[in-house]
Amino acid sequence: MSFIKEYIRTVYRAVSSLLKGMKLTGYYFTHHKEIITQNYPENRDTLNLPERFRGEVVLTHNEDNEHRCTGCTACELACPNGTIKIITQFDVNEEGKKKKALNTFIYHLELCTMCNLCIVACPTDAIKMAQNFEHSVYDRSKLTKTLNAPGSKLMEGVE
Amino acid sequence: MIEEVGTSTDGDLIINIGPQHPSTHGVLHLVVTLNGETVKKVEPHLGYIHRSIEKMCESLSYRQFIYVTSRMDYLSSHINNLGCAHAVEKGLQVEIPERAQVIRVLMSELTRLASHQLWWGAMAMDIGAITPFFHAFREREMINDIMEETCGARLTMNYMVPGGVMYDLHPDFQKKVKEFVQFFRSKFDEYDELLTGNVIFQARTKNVGIISKEDAISYGCTGPVARAAGVSCDVRKLFPYDVYGKLQFDEVLMEAGDSFARYQVRMGEMRQSLSIIDQLIDNIPEGEFQAKTKAVLKLPKGEYYSIVETARGELGVYIISEGGMTPYRIKFRSPGFSNLSALDHMARGSKIGDLVAIMGTLDLVIPDIDR
């Protein structure tokens, strides 16, 4: 007899603990204010990403189409994956002196792991991380980008 | 010698679990010998996610190699990075500013909380309860938001650098963390209500997957797996690093060594982490967040070893330097590997359904085991 009693007691305890959990589930089912999920593709316009979020590397330009990159290749050396390739040229100034300058800033987004080491390494704060994270394209070659805008030149006073 | 899948000569059934199986949490491959429903032998096969991280690190400089270690135990990537930063700092002999040390400990504890929350949800799902998974992810999302704001990434942060941390804290950090701690404290009772007190859950975890204190030591188990068997092995207590020596917290120890004890140890650790965050969040000292280091780091010739306590156990980072810009050899002692090796011992004699429950309480992260 005691065996049957014990059996019924176990079943009762199991069902009651199940109901206890179900009570909590039911609470969230009926309280819609507690919902925290977001409708992502629909809320694109209101999506606010933090300032430090690492989406992709960009070279900042001001309104006169000037950037701050001197072509020192510190970022290229800091990158662990070979993501950045900088092609430099020698500009000749009025006094006839040769000076190293940036020709093309090539950025391989497909190799980038967003480790932020290039941003930290840059001595002139020329590059920064942008918040854009939707990178899918149909052709992988589109992920190799040239960051300096056509016709852009070095900002005055940046050494 | 790998046995063929099928029926062995003495009538036992040999089956594969994994490498693509939802309950193995990644690409773990178990060759299980079954007698009816009883597990006779479990043989883990590794190598499905081997990326040769140790070899890769040898070709990267001391600043660069740290980011790769986020990809080992991705659930406690901060703590992996911290272990590597410690090893490099030992070679450089730099003094870490107090502010950086406090930030490091705060981040480590937040990571530990996030990792244990994910484990709690995933383990409940292994046993058959789906709801806890969503509850755990709700709280984990708050930690991820805090990380995103201060470190710039949600999972692979690369925030610890040799000499300190990469950035100063975000101005909202303290407010957000306090909000989170308050919110999580109020929801922690829900965790107990949903799972801990559940009779079915207790029946499935109590007296299942028992490992004794001696066996836990001889298998090299660390972290919650060993502490559930009564082995005192918390690196934060025994070899305090950063500001852990000045903090008041308990090492959670259990005696039973079964799945339920491992569960209780992790739940207790979450409470301890909350108390550590409480002690530090109002006392972040002012000052530098990074010590001055040279642009190109070179470690003097020698061997450097550092240990940290990740969410899964003891992580050791061993660097041999020849005096150059890159390490000569790097070896990681990952906690998951030793914990997995004890699975065979724990699961022998239990039913095949319990094997999944035992694996859940081991909290395996396969990329950490394979590297």
Side-chain angles (χ1 to χ4, degrees):
Chain A
M1 253 346 249
S2 67
F3 165 72
I4 297 173
K5 255 186 197 164
E6 183 58 37
Y7 181 76
I8 292 170
R9 196 175 292 136
T10 317
V11 171
Y12 172 74
R13 282 217 321 271
V15 170
S16 67
S17 71
L18 256 184
L19 286 177
K20 219 170 158 189
M22 287 301 278
K23 202 179 88 194
L24 199 66
T25 314
Y27 171 80
Y28 283 106
F29 184 67
T30 50
H31 287 67
H32 289 272
K33 273 186 191 161
E34 308 248 9
I35 291 175
I36 51 144
T37 44
Q38 299 175 9
N39 299 328
Y40 157 60
E42 286 83 17
N43 72 345
R44 258 200 202 124
D45 303 328
T46 53
L47 200 64
N48 243 338
L49 285 169
E51 197 190 331
R52 290 181 190 171
F53 180 79
R54 301 169 191 165
E56 60 172 333
V57 177
V58 289
L59 189 68
T60 48
H61 291 74
N62 65 1
E63 54 273 18
D64 299 330
N65 202 12
E66 290 174 330
H67 57 75
R68 298 173 66 88
C69 180
T70 55
C72 69
T73 69
C75 50
E76 192 180 328
L77 292 170
C79 182
N81 311 308
T83 304
I84 296 169
K85 180 91 190 86
I86 287 176
I87 300 169
T88 53
Q89 63 186 32
F90 283 101
D91 283 352
V92 185
N93 60 5
E94 297 96 58
E95 296 148 29
K97 266 187 183 170
K98 272 188 179 175
K99 203 179 162 215
K100 205 170 159 193
L102 175 74
N103 183 334
T104 323
F105 194 112
I106 300 168
Y107 171 53
H108 294 274
L109 181 56
E110 73 269 30
L111 300 177
C112 187
T113 54
M114 318 295 166
C115 66
N116 214 39
L117 289 173
C118 53
I119 315 287
V120 173
C122 183
T124 56
D125 293 333
I127 44 175
K128 66 164 191 153
M129 280 286 179
Q131 274 75 44
N132 173 33
F133 61 92
E134 293 165 335
H135 296 309
S136 8
V137 282
Y138 281 107
D139 189 358
R140 157 179 158 173
S141 64
K142 288 198 179 100
L143 291 170
T144 305
K145 297 174 178 177
T146 305
L147 293 189
N148 53 332
S152 61
K153 60 177 196 295
L154 184 65
M155 206 181 281
E156 202 85 359
V158 178
E159 286 299 320
Chain B
M1 182 66 197
I2 300 169
E3 281 180 273
E4 290 284 320
V5 173
T7 314
S8 72
T9 45
D10 45 357
D12 294 334
L13 191 67
I14 304 169
I15 58 160
N16 285 321
I17 299 182
Q20 265 125 37
H21 190 276
S23 74
T24 53
H25 300 287
V27 281
L28 178 64
H29 180 194
L30 298 175
V31 178
V32 186
T33 310
L34 293 172
N35 181 6
E37 239 190 301
T38 314
V39 176
K40 276 182 89 177
K41 201 168 102 186
V42 184
E43 223 183 312
H45 287 175
L46 301 173
Y48 291 95
I49 192 161
H50 180 70
R51 293 146 296 169
S52 75
I53 282 183
E54 286 173 9
K55 190 75 190 165
M56 260 163 79
C57 290
E58 289 168 20
S59 64
L60 296 172
S61 79
Y62 289 111
R63 265 185 217 288
Q64 289 171 341
F65 90 92
I66 292 177
Y67 98 97
V68 193
T69 57
S70 303
R71 274 92 182 153
M72 293 181 349
D73 182 356
Y74 48 81
L75 290 179
S76 43
S77 55
H78 260 315
I79 313 177
N80 290 351
N81 295 350
L82 182 58
C84 300
H86 276 158
V88 175
E89 281 154 10
K90 266 186 191 162
L92 293 173
Q93 309 242 316
V94 284
E95 188 77 20
I96 309 304
E98 182 112 12
R99 184 177 173 84
Q101 291 187 19
V102 171
I103 294 174
R104 281 174 165 191
V105 170
L106 272 171
M107 287 299 181
S108 301
E109 291 310 314
L110 282 174
T111 315
R112 196 184 313 280
L113 273 174
S115 171
H116 281 348
Q117 280 164 357
L118 191 137
W119 156 81
W120 183 77
M123 188 224 164
M125 210 157 70
D126 285 346
I127 288 182
I130 305 280
T131 322
F133 191 71
F134 300 110
H135 283 256
F137 265 64
R138 177 187 57 196
E139 275 86 62
R140 187 168 172 269
E141 189 63 27
M142 291 180 83
I143 297 183
N144 277 353
D145 282 343
I146 294 168
M147 295 290 180
E148 198 178 15
E149 218 167 40
T150 295
C151 319
R154 295 161 66 83
L155 205 63
T156 50
M157 292 83 154
N158 189 28
Y159 184 62
M160 312 285 179
V161 293
V165 292
M166 196 178 253
Y167 286 124
D168 206 354
L169 289 174
H170 193 273
D172 284 347
F173 179 80
Q174 272 169 302
K175 195 182 99 213
K176 284 255 175 108
V177 170
K178 274 181 201 163
E179 269 173 26
F180 161 74
V181 170
Q182 206 189 1
F183 180 78
F184 186 49
R185 277 237 164 83
S186 70
K187 298 290 177 193
F188 208 76
D189 298 334
E190 279 186 6
Y191 281 37
D192 287 339
E193 203 177 315
L194 266 174
L195 205 59
T196 317
N198 191 305
V199 176
I200 298 168
F201 173 74
Q202 290 190 6
R204 291 222 36 203
T205 48
K206 273 188 181 164
N207 294 319
V208 167
I210 298 172
I211 187 162
S212 68
K213 193 173 179 176
E214 289 74 27
D215 288 330
I217 294 172
S218 64
Y219 275 106
C221 294
T222 48
V225 177
R227 285 200 282 281
V231 185
S232 168
C233 61
D234 197 330
V235 179
R236 297 174 293 169
K237 270 270 183 230
L238 302 176
F239 308 97
Y241 51 92
D242 288 340
V243 290
Y244 277 119
K246 299 174 193 165
L247 296 171
Q248 298 284 322
F249 66 98
D250 296 327
E251 182 178 3
V252 187
L253 284 176
M254 293 281 158
E255 293 298 326
D258 58 357
S259 288
F260 194 66
R262 289 193 281 278
Y263 173 86
Q264 281 177 311
V265 166
R266 288 207 178 85
M267 294 302 262
E269 272 189 16
M270 278 202 251
R271 289 186 202 277
Q272 294 303 322
S273 291
L274 283 176
S275 106
I276 292 175
I277 293 170
D278 270 348
Q279 290 170 43
L280 285 177
I281 192 68
D282 283 322
N283 306 316
I284 304 175
E286 293 297 319
E288 295 283 312
F289 59 90
Q290 204 176 14
K292 289 254 182 311
T293 45
K294 283 182 187 152
V296 178
L297 300 180
K298 275 185 186 170
L299 260 59
K301 194 172 173 176
E303 297 171 13
Y304 308 98
Y305 186 67
S306 76
I307 45 172
V308 283
E309 178 81 17
T310 74
R312 263 145 279 276
E314 178 185 320
L315 173 86
V317 181
Y318 178 58
I319 297 179
I320 301 178
S321 171
E322 293 277 272
M325 273 164 62
T326 57
Y328 175 74
R329 174 85 170 92
I330 281 193
K331 165 88 181 114
F332 297 110
R333 183 253 181 244
S334 73
F337 188 84
S338 311
N339 291 350
L340 175 66
S341 66
L343 176 66
D344 180 44
H345 178 84
M346 287 176 192
R348 260 181 209 203
S350 60
K351 296 278 179 282
I352 188 159
D354 291 333
L355 176 67
V356 176
I358 295 167
M359 253 165 19
T361 52
L362 282 180
D363 195 10
L364 301 171
V365 169
I366 314 303
D368 178 42
I369 297 164
D370 252 357
R371 295 191 293 286

